[in-house]
Amino acid sequence: MGSIWVYAGVTAEGPDPSALELLTKARSIGGDVAAVALGPGATAAADQLGAHGAATVYASDDTVFVDQPGRPAAHTLHALVQQHTPSLILFAGTYDARDVAGRLQAMTGSTLMANATDVLDATHGRTEIFGGTKIVDVELSGPEPRLVLVRPHSFAPEPAGGSSTVVPVVPVVGDGATTATVVERHSEVASGPKLEEASVVIAGGRGLGGPEPFAMLDELAAALGNAAVGASRAAVDAGWVPYSYQIGQTGKTVKPEVYISAGVSGALQHVVGMKGAKRIVAINKDADAPILKIADLGVVGDLFQIVPALTEEVRKRANS
Amino acid sequence: MNITVLAKFVPNPTGTPQLGADNLLMRDAGDGALDPGDEYGLELALQLVESQGGEVTVVTMGPDAALAGVRRALAMGAHKGVLITDPSLRGADALVTARVLAAAIARHPYDLVIAGAESTDGYTGTVPVTIAELLDIASVTAARKLELDGDGYRVERQTASGYDVLRSPSPTLVTVTAGATEPRYPSLKGIMAAKAKPVESLSAADLGVVDLTSMQSVASVLDAPAKAGGEIVTGDEAVGRIADLLQEAKVI
Ligand SMILES: Cc1cc2nc3c(=O)[nH]c(=O)nc-3n(C[C@H](O)[C@H](O)[C@H](O)COP(=O)(O)OP(=O)(O)OC[C@H]3O[C@@H](n4cnc5c(N)ncnc54)[C@H](O)[C@@H]3O)c2cc1C
Ligand SMILES: Nc1ncnc2c1ncn2[C@@H]1O[C@H](COP(=O)(O)O)[C@@H](O)[C@H]1O
């Protein structure tokens, strides 16, 4: 068996947590493990990538990888694949990594499995379908490397204490006729703890009825401290909050100590993004809402009464 | 300008999905529909040709029943349809799908290809970029806005922390997220007009795609352990119970 590679997301702030999760998994499968890190921060990330299991880190700090998402990374990765012939490459299930994996597949002609929740060995991935009610193991065949996109937070990252050899990589860049270029970047993240890192996540849904009631959720978050506000896709599509708030299949995966929803029905595509929470609290006025079936504590009632009263109660208990 | 829109036909998006005896998703089980996620891209395409002139061609690979989806797209305003339907494509994986669709797109001149960010039933989310690579064209995924910009396009792309603005040359493939726009309903006039619009029917062999082997097979399907039902509360005790739980979790 050839080596297992992790396509590691990196930024100037360090490796993406998903890269460390995937390396931890790759290590447990066995064989040689390497990481490919492309973009500013790649070389600096090598220590942490090494500590999580990458013996080799193929790295380039070139800004082309962030200025032209997808194509240069796919072509650079393809050049490395041709040279080193890995058996399996693991990617995080983000939009950026999908673009790289999808383009790479056109060049390698190998199989690509998306939405994996586990990697069993070099030829088997696991996924959950129908909102996590069925577990499907899939056998991967055909030419190597097989490509697997893994849902974030599927594994806990664990350092193994190793170190890595950095192999510098020369970017493979196409001409302007075949690449899109980033000309502006805009941030829409709220201040306070990040959605993926907060101990408590408070998600608002269509039941909020508009953008203003989100202020109510912000107040509850402020009262709790280490809490962040998220949303269902219905709330995002309506334009009440930006996409960076979205939890679920097409949004973020969160695993907080406590997840609280207000006015979210609990559609399968939302649930896959929050079912890993330690404790789930759902507030919904409809006793038949699917989210109440997966909640540890389901509250049947009007969110407009419960949320402000809860904020009061939290403040009281925090101060006593 | 010529725009090709990729639109999938999916099993009833609001129904309960089912696996057949062969562990493949049952795709021709009755009331399928045009993937609602593809209507956003179609709407953007229609708006662009309404202001710029040109034609929208909708391309679908799917079972015979998928003709209903193509007709819906034509009723919304698309000019032409292409339906690739072939019994040997049942169970086609992402790569076969991308090869078939890329070959279908390449048969006609195009300035822009629009697809959904992910399909409602498959949600691989990679088929469009694989097509872009096969066609050797630029791509922008997860677009929430798409406009003409000189001889290319200006696209707003959703990111984990906000959005980026990209400038892309022509031709480009763009995948569109829900919320990019509000799709129109087909009018009665549109539905009547759709009946006279051309729909080309093709097989995989017509497109020269011969290797249809899927490189994925289902090794096993198990029911996930059901989660035990939790506590349900109503009325006055609710707020106190949530606060208790927050204290147990040590987050107050
Ligand atoms: C391919 C695909 C990907 C998707 N990805 C995602 C994703 O990433 N994330 C996501 O969230 N969704 C996603 N969806 C959409 C998903 O299917 C649902 O449409 C969406 O989650 C519904 O959002 P909601 O629960 O806010 O709205 P609704 O389903 O409309 O639910 C609103 C709820 O609010 C309750 N309510 C109303 N008023 C009150 C009140 N005063 N007090 C208490 N409760 C009240 C109602 O009883 C209802 O249960 C995706 C769909 C597709 C097809
Ligand atoms: N069989 C198909 N026919 C037409 N378009 C498709 C097909 N499969 C995928 N697509 C397009 O690719 C997008 C993403 O699909 P997927 O990669 O399956 O999540 C869809 O929203 C469609 O626009």
Side-chain angles (χ1 to χ4, degrees), chain A residues 25-43:
Chain A
K25 188 69 208 185
R27 215 168 72 211
S28 77
I29 298 172
D32 288 341
V33 175
V36 179
L38 305 175
T43 310

Side-chain angles (χ1 to χ4, degrees), chain B residues 34-219:
Chain B
L34 185 67
D35 191 332
D38 287 332
E39 290 194 2
Y40 304 98
L42 176 57
E43 177 62 40
L44 287 183
L46 295 173
Q47 289 171 13
L48 278 171
V49 300
E50 277 160 10
S51 69
Q52 305 297 322
E55 283 199 336
V56 174
T57 304
V58 60
V59 177
T60 299
M61 179 189 108
D64 290 330
L67 182 61
V70 176
R71 289 266 177 239
R72 179 174 171 93
L74 296 173
M76 283 173 71
H79 300 79
K80 291 188 295 197
V82 177
L83 175 62
I84 306 118
T85 175
D86 193 322
S88 57
L89 288 171
R90 190 175 136 74
D93 63 11
L95 185 58
V96 170
T97 305
R99 284 180 173 153
V100 165
L101 293 173
I105 295 166
R107 295 172 79 230
H108 301 289
Y110 57 89
D111 305 295
L112 181 63
V113 180
I114 302 183
E118 56 179 17
S119 60
T120 299
D121 62 337
Y123 51 92
T124 318
T126 56
V127 167
V129 277
T130 307
I131 293 170
E133 184 63 38
L134 291 169
L135 297 171
D136 197 25
I137 61 173
S139 61
V140 182
T141 51
R144 61 172 210 181
K145 200 166 176 191
L146 164 64
E147 294 164 333
L148 279 182
D149 176 16
D151 53 1
Y153 305 96
R154 179 192 179 277
V155 191
E156 290 184 10
R157 176 180 193 248
Q158 290 183 338
T159 64
S161 56
Y163 69 99
D164 289 348
V165 179
L166 289 100
R167 151 99 201 151
S168 198
S170 182
T172 285
L173 176 145
V174 177
T175 76
V176 173
T177 60
T181 184
E182 200 47 56
R184 68 192 65 183
Y185 282 102
S187 64
L188 192 57
K189 207 169 131 227
I191 294 168
M192 297 310 290
K195 294 187 177 140
K197 289 180 179 172
V199 179
E200 193 179 8
S201 190
L202 300 171
S203 68
D206 291 337
L207 293 168
V209 182
V210 283
D211 185 3
L212 304 177
T213 19
S214 169
M215 295 176 287
Q216 289 186 22
S217 56
V218 173

Side-chain angles (χ1 to χ4, degrees), chain A residues 205-207 231-235 246-251 263-267 269-270 283-286 289 301-304, chain B residues 118-120 123:
Chain A
R206 203 197 311 265
S232 72
R233 193 171 100 175
Q246 187 169 315
I247 295 169
Q249 183 178 301
T250 3
V264 174
S265 63
Q269 297 93 347
H270 183 79
I283 305 168
N284 199 302
K285 68 176 182 192
D286 173 6
D302 182 6
L303 71 92
F304 291 96
Chain B
E118 56 179 17
S119 60
T120 299
Y123 51 92

